[in-house]
Amino acid sequence: MQLALQLDGRQARFAEVDRRLRRRYSPPGPWFRLDPVSQLVLGMVGGRTYEADSRRAFLALCDRYRGWERLRDAPLAEIREAIQAVTYAEVKARRLKAALSVITQRRGSLTLDFLAGWGVAAALAWLESLPGVGRKTAAATLNFSTLKMPTLVIDTHHLRVLRRLQLVGPRTTLPDAYDRIVPYLPMQWRAEDLDAHHQRMKTLGQDVCSHAEPTCGLCVLRDLCPSAALIGKTD
């Protein structure tokens, strides 16, 4: 029986979604946690890029500079060359250099370790004030890094699933989706729990709930999903 779609039913629907995903997908990880500046660099390089390409570019930066201060001070053309395999390499090179410079100017050194003592909302806002840093990269920097802060990462695959489940509206942006979904999360969830939930939603979006050809018949959430019947009618 499909759960209610009203606002006051979203917490129950969200809990059921997570329960089914945990039964369907094994726990992700464990992951190797980068320091927060390294995670920021990885996130900024990886936007709108295949994961394998973004990791390759990140490792190329690590090998070339061996210290993010050297990346910060490097010529733009050199940075662009190092990450040329990713999308929008020129834009990302400029934003990387600018973001690392702003951190240094504000804090006196190139570190984000100070965020460990901050609340999540304040830390997100500080990171999002950096050039080229949006909600996804900011949340990943806090959650995936050694900071291990309880933030929810939402990428395009995750967002697509949320939209089709009508847990958010069809045109909801990433920051708005974060703000709307977080109140329904279990308060006891730690950074690892939020990471695991994101990875499962991402996997579902990549493997089953794809943009072009969703395979609703294989989805463990199909009876909870208002979009499944509509998609089925158009097949």
Side-chain angles (χ1 to χ4, degrees):
M1 177 178 179
Q2 185 168 318
L3 298 177
L5 298 181
Q6 287 81 8
L7 180 63
D8 58 5
R10 288 186 184 179
Q11 190 167 19
R13 293 184 67 230
F14 184 89
E16 179 64 11
V17 165
D18 185 68
R19 185 186 71 82
R20 294 192 188 190
L21 291 178
R22 282 188 283 108
R23 290 180 61 184
R24 173 64 179 83
Y25 299 109
S26 58
W31 312 114
F32 175 77
R33 291 185 178 272
L34 299 169
D35 68 89
V37 175
S38 295
Q39 182 61 54
L40 177 70
V41 171
L42 176 59
M44 294 185 71
V45 167
R48 297 177 179 268
T49 300
Y50 288 116
E51 188 170 340
D53 291 335
S54 63
R55 290 193 175 276
R56 191 176 302 114
F58 174 73
L59 292 175
L61 291 176
C62 292
D63 289 342
R64 174 169 292 199
Y65 296 109
R66 301 187 180 279
W68 299 128
E69 289 84 1
R70 294 182 179 180
L71 171 61
R72 176 197 63 201
D73 299 335
L76 275 175
E78 186 178 290
I79 300 173
R80 183 177 64 248
E81 179 186 0
I83 62 171
Q84 60 184 326
V86 305
T87 55
Y88 310 115
E90 183 170 354
V91 173
K92 289 177 179 178
R94 184 171 64 251
R95 289 176 174 175
L96 269 173
K97 184 176 176 67
L100 298 181
S101 296
V102 169
I103 294 171
T104 306
Q105 292 165 7
R106 291 180 181 176
R107 303 300 303 183
S109 62
L110 188 48
T111 179
L112 293 173
D113 292 344
F114 66 93
L115 293 174
W118 289 33
V120 169
L124 284 172
W126 197 92
L127 289 171
E128 289 178 43
S129 70
L130 298 174
V133 177
R135 180 59 56 88
K136 175 190 169 185
T137 298
T141 300
L142 298 179
N143 185 298
F144 297 166
S145 75
T146 52
L147 291 173
K148 296 178 65 173
M149 294 176 70
T151 55
L152 177 66
V153 177
I154 301 177
D155 64 6
T156 54
H157 302 290
H158 190 157
L159 180 59
R160 182 169 58 253
V161 176
L162 291 173
R163 287 171 173 171
R164 286 179 173 163
L165 287 169
Q166 294 185 10
L167 287 168
V168 299
R171 297 183 180 179
T172 303
T173 63
L174 289 176
D176 287 342
Y178 180 97
D179 293 338
R180 295 184 186 188
I181 290 300
V182 165
Y184 300 107
L185 302 177
M187 294 185 64
Q188 70 273 19
W189 273 11
R190 303 167 299 166
E192 295 88 345
D193 301 315
L194 291 161
D195 181 7
H197 176 76
H198 163 67
Q199 298 298 338
R200 291 181 176 113
M201 290 284 276
K202 177 180 177 179
T203 299
L204 181 73
Q206 290 174 321
D207 296 349
V208 177
C209 194
S210 64
H211 172 71
E213 298 181 358
T215 51
C216 298
L218 301 178
C219 184
V220 295
L221 306 178
R222 60 186 178 276
D223 61 313
L224 301 179
C225 183
S227 302
L230 297 175
I231 294 172
K233 289 178 181 178
T234 61
D235 290 343

